[in-house]
Amino acid sequence: MTSSNRFLNRLLLLVIGLLALVAAALVGWSAATGTDLPFALPEQGTPLELGIVLAAAVVVVVFAVAWVLTRGRGRRRLAIDTPEVQVDAKAIEALLRSELSASPDIAGTSVQAYRVRRQQTLLVTVQARKHPDLTALTASVRQAIARTDAQLGATLPLVVHVTTGLRTAMAGQRATH
Amino acid sequence: MSDTTPDRYRGRARRRLRYRSRSVAASIALIVTALAAAYVGVEAALALLGQPPLVSAPFGLLPLVQQIPAVAIAVAAVLAMLGLICIIAAITPGRFRRRVIEDDRALVVIDDDVVASGVSRAVSGALGIGRTQVRTSLGRRRADVRVTPTTGFAASAEPAREAGGRLLADLRLSPAPTVRADIERTGVIA
């Protein structure tokens, strides 16, 4: 749900993977084939060559630091963020949680607000117990959303993720049958 | 302030929740590369300053590794393996084991684990047996339900398949799996 560019992630992986393969070829060539490399690498670097290596290393490190620091963008505190009204995502979480508390198959609910490409969304994570009554569960979730919409007086863009989780692993099945 | 989930946004959100972003993998690969680059950079700086190297000046590193063929092969093998892992991660789609429940109001995504668990419940209820006696595994297009019957009580696959199929149809899953049910030959004492 974050704003990371998926294509760039994969492009970066591809480039690094290819570089690793090239490095593997350079290192293993003479040992594997018994012949020398078809081209010669300098033994001792001239100051210029050393300078180029150092500059390249700095570029890589700076790029890596910048990249890692820009991960995980997109999370927001506010579910509704307008000049007139601001609503915390945790408030919506409390609303949904109380609506869903009656559902015996739901072990937990959490809400996280995101803003990706100027689109505000809420990710609602619903943790289901083991062996849930799925028909009832989905009905509960739909009802809870409808009631929350009515309370807010607005239909916010929502993404619901029904999952298992640590709580599901620890929790039992529903207590009443 | 009030807008329902628009369609073009749904497509993008669907993709993001169905497929891995490879963000973590890319970050790890980049960090490892940066560490290697940092080391080479330090060696280059030391060589430029006329100081003794940590291990060897940058251009001497390759010949140093190649001196012992066994080491060179080992290093090359590790590099090749890591490189292949990166390339495979880049190319494969990285599907999460999840699917979409068709809904007008919101995008609803459900883990395959939860669906399988729910199918087991529905099947065990329909057959009147314990939940531990049913195991469901959900592939992309098909749910495989294995029923271990109670010894002495006959169980047939058709009601099991029907119960599972009905549940899956009610859920309106996308992609919609078919159901296949098998009864084990040996039962359990209930």
Side-chain angles (χ1 to χ4, degrees):
Chain A
M1 287 302 293
T2 56
S3 57
S4 56
N5 186 322
R6 291 166 166 241
F7 178 70
L8 275 184
N9 289 340
R10 286 158 186 273
L11 187 64
L12 190 62
L13 276 170
L14 191 63
V15 166
I16 291 179
L18 289 172
L19 282 176
L21 287 182
V22 166
L26 282 177
V27 169
W29 185 274
S30 47
T33 64
T35 60
D36 282 330
L37 286 164
F39 48 87
L41 290 172
E43 282 290 320
Q44 298 269 9
T46 65
L48 178 63
E49 285 163 346
L50 286 172
I52 292 174
V53 169
L54 179 59
V58 167
V59 165
V60 169
V61 170
V62 167
F63 178 79
V65 170
W67 173 283
V68 170
L69 286 178
T70 58
R71 294 307 90 193
R73 289 273 174 84
R75 292 207 173 94
R76 291 282 178 276
R77 194 175 55 89
L78 297 174
I80 300 175
D81 193 357
T82 63
E84 307 88 39
V85 183
Q86 278 128 39
V87 178
D88 216 285
K90 291 302 167 191
I92 313 253
E93 184 179 286
L95 269 177
L96 277 170
R97 206 174 263 160
S98 76
E99 295 289 347
L100 289 172
S101 61
S103 172
D105 284 312
I106 294 179
T109 314
S110 71
V111 174
Q112 174 66 53
Y114 287 88
R115 187 177 187 78
V116 180
R117 295 217 181 94
R118 296 183 315 161
Q119 173 70 49
Q120 189 89 9
T121 322
L122 289 174
L123 174 64
V124 178
T125 306
V126 172
Q127 285 172 331
R129 290 190 195 279
K130 283 195 269 257
H131 297 131
D133 179 343
L134 285 177
T135 317
L137 192 153
T138 49
S140 299
V141 170
R142 287 200 175 97
Q143 222 175 45
I145 292 175
R147 290 216 189 97
T148 307
D149 287 346
Q151 290 205 22
L152 287 176
T155 49
L156 304 175
L158 279 188
V159 175
V160 180
H161 180 201
V162 181
T163 182
T164 58
L166 187 59
R167 291 189 74 177
T168 304
M170 308 258 102
Q173 303 175 42
R174 52 152 86 178
T176 55
H177 294 263
Chain B
M1 180 176 92
S2 160
D3 48 327
T4 50
T5 322
D7 282 327
R8 94 192 112 79
Y9 158 74
R10 273 217 194 197
R12 199 187 306 143
R14 240 169 132 117
R15 239 183 353 263
R16 295 186 99 98
L17 279 167
R18 300 275 314 276
Y19 299 96
R20 298 179 189 283
S21 65
R22 297 292 190 215
S23 196
V24 173
S27 299
I28 292 175
L30 191 53
I31 288 172
V32 170
T33 307
L35 286 173
Y39 164 71
V40 173
V42 165
E43 292 286 22
L46 288 174
L48 275 173
L49 292 172
Q51 297 298 316
L54 295 173
V55 173
S56 155
F59 292 102
L61 284 169
L62 188 58
L64 184 64
V65 173
Q66 286 175 330
Q67 262 173 17
I68 311 174
V71 171
I73 297 269
V75 170
V78 168
L79 281 172
M81 195 186 68
L82 292 176
L84 274 176
I85 291 174
C86 285
I87 292 175
I88 289 172
I91 294 176
T92 59
R95 271 199 199 99
F96 280 113
R97 300 203 49 195
R98 301 171 182 167
R99 54 198 71 210
V100 172
I101 292 179
E102 296 296 343
D103 187 86
D104 292 322
R105 164 67 182 89
L107 176 63
V108 182
V109 172
I110 185 167
D111 283 1
D112 279 0
D113 284 347
V114 180
V115 177
S117 187
V119 168
S120 290
R121 180 203 170 96
V123 169
S124 65
L127 295 182
I129 58 178
R131 289 194 193 126
T132 52
Q133 292 172 255
V134 181
R135 270 220 147 59
T136 307
S137 70
L138 189 56
R140 289 218 39 75
R141 297 238 164 255
R142 197 182 67 202
D144 282 308
V145 181
R146 306 202 75 79
V147 177
T148 308
T150 311
T151 311
F153 294 86
S156 65
E158 190 49 34
R161 205 196 52 73
E162 242 179 57
R166 205 175 322 125
L167 174 65
L168 292 175
D170 284 344
L171 288 175
R172 288 185 300 177
L173 292 173
S174 162
T178 55
V179 183
R180 176 196 142 134
D182 288 303
I183 314 289
E184 297 280 349
R185 293 176 154 274
T186 51
V188 290
I189 314 286

